[in-house]
Amino acid sequence: MNYAIGVDIGGTKVAVAAVNEQGTIISRSVIPTNLDIAPEAMIAEIQQEIRRIIERSGVHMDQVVGIGIGAPGPLDSKNGLISCPPNLPAWVDIPIRDLIGRVFPVPVLLENDANAAALAEKWIGAATETDNFIYITVSTGIGAGIISEGQLLKGMKGNAGDIGHAVIDPSFGECVCGQSGCLESIASGTAIAKRASAIVGREVTAKDVFHLYKEGHPDITAYMKDVFNVLGVASVSMINTFDPEKIVFVGGVSEFGEPMFESIQQYVRRYALNPTGRKTEIAAAKLGQNAGVIGAAALCFHNGSFQ
C-alpha cells in the first residue's frame, strides 16, 4: 500500500495527515499557525509534524510517494512558491516546496487550497461521478476549485478560481482588494458578520447570524435571502462561464442548509443561460475539514487529473 502526506496550511492552523491510495486518512494532526515567527521557522514546525505523522501512522518512508501541500493564494504552484496570501502576511515568495523537499526524499507538490479540496471531493467526495464541477468555499473568504473534463483548471501560476474578487454589486462598497462590490465583501462569513452586526445593533459572529436566522429574526432572515441571492448570481456566472454539471458548496455559510441550497438552485433554474445549465445541481460538500489534507494527498496520487 502506498501513502501520501497531505498538508493543509491556513491562516490559523495547519493540518497534516497520512493518506492511503484509497483516500483514507491513517493519521491526522493539527498545529496552530504561528504568525509571530518567520515563515521558515513555521515551516520547520510543519516538517517536524510531518515526521511525527509518519512515525505515528506506522508508514515506512519508502511507502510514501510524495508530500502534497495546499496553501492559500496567491501562490506560484509551478515554482513551489507561496507568494503573498492575505492571511499569511509575512509569507512573501516563500519557496515552501524546496524547503520541505530538502528534508524529505520524495516529490513535493504545491497547490491552491481550494483547488486541492476540489480534488478531494472529486476523488472520494460529492463529485466522484462528475467530470465537470466547481467547488466553492464560502468561509472567512471565498474561493473556488474548477474541475473541467476531469482536469483541475490551474491557470498560469495556479491561481485560477479566485472568484471571491469577482465584482457582483458595487453598491456594497469597497472590498479589501480595493475594488467595490466583490463577492467576498458581500457573502463571506466575515462580510456577513459585519453587515449583520450593523443590522442588529451589536457585534455578532457569522455563527450568531446562523442562530438568529434559525430563530426567525425578521431582519436577519431578509438579509440572508439577499446573501443567498448573491450566491445564486455567482453560481450562474460560473455556470455560464464553465458549463459544469454540479456546483459543490462548503464552508460556514453552508450551515444555513436547505434554504440556502434551494434559493441558489431556484436562481440557477431561472437565470442560467442554457437549458442544460439551468439543471446544474447545487450540492453540499461531503468531506468537510478533511478535504484540505485529502486533496493535498491527492496531488501525489493524481496530480490534478482524473482521466
Side-chain angles (χ1 to χ4, degrees):
M1 177 75 75
N2 289 325
Y3 301 86
I5 304 300
V7 180
D8 182 24
I9 299 175
T12 59
K13 61 183 182 298
V14 177
V16 181
V19 180
N20 70 20
E21 52 198 339
Q22 276 78 50
T24 301
I25 293 176
I26 305 304
S27 182
R28 181 181 184 274
S29 67
V30 176
I31 60 173
T33 304
N34 190 343
L35 299 180
D36 295 326
I37 61 177
E40 292 80 5
M42 186 63 225
I43 290 170
E45 293 189 12
I46 294 171
Q47 291 168 340
Q48 185 60 35
E49 197 61 25
I50 292 172
R51 291 190 189 95
R52 279 194 284 263
I53 283 292
I54 292 172
E55 291 172 4
R56 189 185 307 162
S57 63
V59 172
H60 296 290
M61 200 65 213
D62 59 4
Q63 295 175 283
V64 177
V65 298
I67 298 171
I69 302 168
L75 46 71
D76 181 346
S77 61
K78 294 180 181 177
N79 292 306
L81 303 175
I82 295 179
S83 301
C84 52
N87 291 334
L88 299 170
W91 293 52
V92 179
D93 293 334
I94 300 301
I96 188 167
R97 184 182 66 191
D98 291 344
L99 291 172
I100 297 292
R102 289 174 190 172
V103 177
F104 300 98
V106 295
V108 179
L109 301 170
L110 172 67
E111 192 56 75
N112 178 280
D113 50 5
N115 287 350
L119 288 176
E121 292 291 340
K122 170 60 181 167
W123 188 15
I124 60 168
T128 56
E129 305 299 321
T130 307
D131 283 335
N132 296 275
F133 80 98
I134 299 170
Y135 172 95
I136 298 179
T137 175
V138 185
S139 189
T140 303
I142 295 178
I146 302 164
I147 303 288
S148 179
E149 294 299 302
Q151 300 260 9
L152 180 64
L153 184 62
K154 298 183 179 183
M156 180 174 65
K157 296 284 188 178
N159 295 302
D162 197 354
I163 65 167
H165 297 285
V167 173
I168 298 293
D169 185 348
S171 70
F172 273 81
E174 188 172 351
C175 176
V176 292
C177 75
Q179 297 190 101
S180 293
C182 288
L183 176 62
E184 187 169 298
S185 69
I186 301 170
S188 68
T190 305
I192 289 170
K194 181 178 179 181
R195 192 164 292 267
S197 295
I199 290 172
V200 301
R202 59 184 173 86
E203 187 171 342
V204 295
T205 65
K207 190 172 288 294
D208 294 330
V209 177
F210 170 74
H211 291 303
L212 288 169
Y213 178 84
K214 289 295 185 184
E215 292 167 2
H217 188 292
D219 294 334
I220 291 297
T221 299
Y223 165 60
M224 287 309 302
K225 286 182 179 178
D226 290 339
V227 172
F228 299 160
N229 191 68
V230 166
L231 292 173
V233 172
S235 297
V236 165
S237 294
M238 298 298 279
I239 290 166
N240 290 346
T241 303
F242 296 104
D243 196 25
E245 303 164 62
K246 179 184 286 190
I247 295 180
V248 175
F249 278 92
V250 73
V253 175
S254 64
E255 291 183 15
F256 286 90
E258 191 58 32
M260 185 190 89
F261 289 107
E262 183 56 30
S263 177
I264 297 171
Q265 192 78 69
Q266 287 180 3
Y267 194 97
V268 167
R269 290 188 191 119
R270 183 173 182 182
Y271 291 112
L273 186 62
N274 295 313
T276 53
R278 295 173 203 143
K279 298 177 182 178
T280 304
E281 181 184 356
I282 307 300
K286 289 186 177 179
L287 300 178
Q289 64 180 357
N290 288 326
V293 288
I294 294 173
L299 294 169
C300 304
F301 293 121
H302 298 284
N303 196 25
S305 175
F306 285 86
Q307 289 188 329

